[in-house]
Amino acid sequence: MPVGGLVPHATRDVADLVIRNAKIHTGDPSRPQAQALAIRDGAVTVVGDDKDVAPHLGAVTKVVDALGRRVIPGLNDAHLHVIRGGLNYVLELRWDGVRSLRQGLAMLREQAARTPKGQWVRVVGGWSAEQFAEHRLPTVAELNAAAPDTPVFVLHLYQSAVLNRAALKAAGFTKDTPDPKGGQIVRGRDGEPTGMLLAAPSALILYSTLSKAPALEGEDKKTSTRHFLRELNRFGLTSAIDAAGGFQNFPDNYATVIELAKAGLLSLRIAYHLFPQTPGQEIEDLARWIEMVRPGDGGEWLRLNGAGENLTWAAADFENFSQPRPELTPDYEAEFEKAVRLLMENGWGFRLHATYDETIRRDLAVFEKLAAEGLFPAGNRWLFDHAETVSANSLDRIATLGGAVSVQNRLSFQGEAFVQRYGPGAAADAPPIRAMLDRGLTVAAGTDATRVSTYNPWVALHWLVSGRTVADLTLRPPTNRVDRQTALAMFTRAGAELTGEDKVKGMLRPGCYADLAVLSEDYFTVPEPEIPHIESLLTVTGGRIVYAAAEYEGLDEELPPVNPAWSPVAHFGGYQASRRAALPGAHQAESLSEAIAESEQHRQWRIARGLAPDTASTPFDPCFAL
């Protein structure tokens, strides 16, 4: 199509898609900036300006005018539970981005009225009590009032869950239900469960309770996954490294993405890991998988990347910062060494969940023992995930052994709890991102969504740049922050390095995958507090337009309707985008009225509990005083 003087005339090397009139950040050091690019057969073919792409315009070329907007390489979340998240997405009520508990409870009340008998309302991850104007969790009484008969399960970080009366009954909790290992069922004076579940410190009680809720079946799992991937595309994500996780069995729970990949219906590239699920059976599982598949198996859209994020359950610490650091068993190294040896001898890379330096030091001692036999570094990609309290000495050892690190913005949501337990000094280095980069380590970034952090990568990018939580608490000083370009590289090229795809992914240059996002705001110039509000207006993965909004609405691929029809996603959508900080006229007045209403409801809540005097709250305006 003719656009701004570009006339189709090419008969050879015709582009499928051209992006023009753009501010393109290529991520390629040899050509950092451009104004236009051409795409053919899923790959970038030309990067330059209008005169460079013009010879490749043909009658079938689709031309997109970026209208001067910022274009970046597609984002790559290096630690996302995307497979598990997709299987459950349409069943979950998302409080991601919700700014008040009042709004969250209103959503919950409305969803309970729409939810059929036998189903649950579940709020699972992506939010923190600190993001709410009220700075608190919902109470059991509030859940009972909002949903008297429908089971409601509200998960809060790795710390706790709140259940209403109906959910306690549906989950089978009674006075005689024993506390599981590492968890606590809070009980009233009569010994009956109150509706609060605590991770003490293990979150297994939270996730095992959630697993009792009804699950999707058959085609509904595919539809749910496709809508979740479209939601990720909404924020410019074109790739993710799946970190597996509890209750994610191979190959059963991988069947949905495998079938979608075979049908060409994935809109996000996924590199996945395999996570042994049964304590005491980890070595057998790993040995069986080694005979079935190998890292790199698959294609551009779905491929195996290795094992983890657990190799043996005994070696995994917990990240519940409201509880003391867990003490791991004194002898986990024997089985852990067997697992690592098995993987390294068979050419498998791996990733390891490790929150605390105490765990990392013990793991490194095992690796150094195997290094004496030539197994480290041996060309297999391996990394530590999280590493909030990793020490300088441990970073030196990781570098020597050829490892990498993947960090996530868990402290965007858990920062207040971390500060209360370990103090602001420890929080300033949690994790020590600058020290990692200064050692030349590959440091990739992700979210660890969906059960704690939100899957919105711009919240994580804001955390990398600003060091602030979602409640605007400053944790990391400027000396432990990164600039915007570095943060973006951590969300693009670094993730590609973890999967061995850095030659074809994470940059916009000829020969690379045609993965990109046209942004709603210029990430490099928008005020820092506005970074979390950025979205993609046009997301392209493999040359396909997989998400389109605003002027581009309708250019993306059609999805089947959300099923079931009562799904919270069908009604509310996913991430609840909030308005920008600078609000004009009517929007500002509306936000002020919402804040007043929230303040009054919070006052009434405090009065009802004897925490504030029951005094009149009639507004007083001195302009009208007699």
Side-chain angles (χ1 to χ4, degrees), residues 383-466:
L383 65 136
F384 280 113
D385 277 306
H386 314 312
E388 275 87 357
T389 69
V390 64
S391 65
N393 177 260
S394 292
L395 290 176
D396 291 336
R397 295 164 71 187
I398 292 169
T400 299
L401 293 168
V405 184
S406 176
V407 298
Q408 300 78 41
N409 64 312
R410 303 191 304 179
L411 291 191
S412 286
F413 298 86
Q414 297 178 282
E416 287 76 11
F418 190 95
V419 169
Q420 289 173 12
R421 180 159 299 279
Y422 298 108
D429 284 325
I433 298 171
R434 280 258 49 108
M436 296 173 182
L437 292 168
D438 289 345
R439 284 165 171 78
L441 290 168
T442 294
V443 185
T447 62
D448 201 10
T450 60
R451 290 186 172 175
V452 175
S453 303
T454 179
Y455 49 74
N456 181 349
W458 298 102
V459 175
L461 282 156
H462 175 257
W463 171 79
L464 287 169
V465 170
S466 71

Side-chain angles (χ1 to χ4, degrees), residues 6 18-24 26 31 33-38 45-57:
L6 294 181
V18 163
I19 309 291
R20 66 174 298 269
N21 189 21
K23 292 185 291 187
I24 302 174
T26 67
R31 180 163 192 168
Q33 305 293 329
Q35 294 76 47
L37 58 81
T45 56
V46 178
V47 177
D49 54 24
D50 280 359
K51 72 176 186 301
D52 297 313
V53 301
H56 302 274
L57 290 176

Side-chain angles (χ1 to χ4, degrees), residues 196-497:
M196 287 293 299
L197 305 179
L198 301 179
S202 170
L204 183 61
I205 184 176
L206 311 180
Y207 300 152
S208 61
T209 303
L210 178 61
S211 69
K212 298 177 182 180
L216 293 170
E217 299 291 340
E219 288 298 312
D220 288 346
K221 292 192 289 187
K222 293 183 184 179
T223 301
S224 178
T225 297
R226 292 185 68 188
H227 277 275
F228 183 49
L229 300 186
R230 173 66 60 87
E231 175 75 352
L232 298 177
N233 299 149
R234 168 188 167 190
F235 296 102
L237 280 162
T238 58
S239 292
I241 308 177
D242 186 79
F247 300 93
Q248 185 171 317
N249 292 290
F250 181 81
D252 301 349
N253 296 123
Y254 293 73
T256 296
V257 291
I258 290 172
E259 291 174 17
L260 289 174
K262 288 179 178 178
L265 295 176
L266 291 179
S267 62
L268 185 91
R269 304 182 194 274
I270 301 173
Y272 63 90
H273 287 77
L274 302 185
F275 181 131
Q277 296 295 308
T278 307
Q281 189 181 303
E282 299 96 331
I283 306 301
E284 291 80 359
D285 285 342
L286 292 171
R288 177 165 50 87
W289 295 337
I290 285 171
E291 295 300 319
M292 295 171 61
V293 288
R294 292 191 60 80
D297 282 357
E300 296 177 3
W301 291 90
L302 182 67
R303 66 204 304 267
L304 174 65
N305 198 50
E309 59 182 295
N310 276 6
L311 302 184
T312 60
W313 281 89
D317 54 24
F318 301 107
E319 54 288 309
N320 180 1
F321 299 124
S322 65
Q323 296 281 337
R325 178 180 61 82
E327 295 295 336
L328 302 183
T329 58
D331 57 354
Y332 79 70
E333 283 87 350
E335 284 298 299
F336 180 70
E337 180 183 332
K338 291 179 184 177
V340 176
R341 180 186 296 276
L342 178 65
L343 294 170
M344 297 299 282
E345 288 179 344
N346 285 276
W348 275 58
F350 59 86
R351 65 190 311 160
L352 280 174
H353 171 110
T355 302
Y356 301 100
D357 190 55
E358 288 80 358
T359 307
I360 292 170
R361 291 201 306 267
R362 291 177 66 176
D363 292 351
L364 286 170
V366 172
F367 301 162
E368 287 163 345
K369 178 181 177 182
L370 296 177
E373 303 176 29
L375 293 179
F376 284 85
N380 299 332
R381 293 184 299 273
W382 70 272
L383 65 136
F384 280 113
D385 277 306
H386 314 312
E388 275 87 357
T389 69
V390 64
S391 65
N393 177 260
S394 292
L395 290 176
D396 291 336
R397 295 164 71 187
I398 292 169
T400 299
L401 293 168
V405 184
S406 176
V407 298
Q408 300 78 41
N409 64 312
R410 303 191 304 179
L411 291 191
S412 286
F413 298 86
Q414 297 178 282
E416 287 76 11
F418 190 95
V419 169
Q420 289 173 12
R421 180 159 299 279
Y422 298 108
D429 284 325
I433 298 171
R434 280 258 49 108
M436 296 173 182
L437 292 168
D438 289 345
R439 284 165 171 78
L441 290 168
T442 294
V443 185
T447 62
D448 201 10
T450 60
R451 290 186 172 175
V452 175
S453 303
T454 179
Y455 49 74
N456 181 349
W458 298 102
V459 175
L461 282 156
H462 175 257
W463 171 79
L464 287 169
V465 170
S466 71
R468 292 177 176 270
T469 71
V470 292
D472 208 33
L473 173 67
T474 300
L475 298 179
R476 290 180 290 107
T479 53
N480 193 27
R481 301 177 201 164
V482 296
D483 60 62
R484 299 189 193 196
Q485 185 166 325
T486 300
L488 186 62
M490 293 168 68
F491 250 102
T492 51
R493 290 201 65 185
E497 290 177 17

Side-chain angles (χ1 to χ4, degrees), residues 64-67 69 518-520 537-538 548-555:
V64 171
D65 189 336
L67 301 174
R69 293 190 174 103
V518 180
L519 302 182
S520 60
L537 298 181
L538 187 88
E551 294 89 349
Y552 313 113
E553 187 172 353
L555 293 181

Side-chain angles (χ1 to χ4, degrees), residues 25 33 70-72 484-485 488 521-526:
H25 172 81
Q33 305 293 329
R70 175 65 65 185
V71 174
I72 62 169
R484 299 189 193 196
Q485 185 166 325
L488 186 62
E521 307 287 345
D522 189 341
Y523 164 68
F524 291 106
T525 61
V526 71

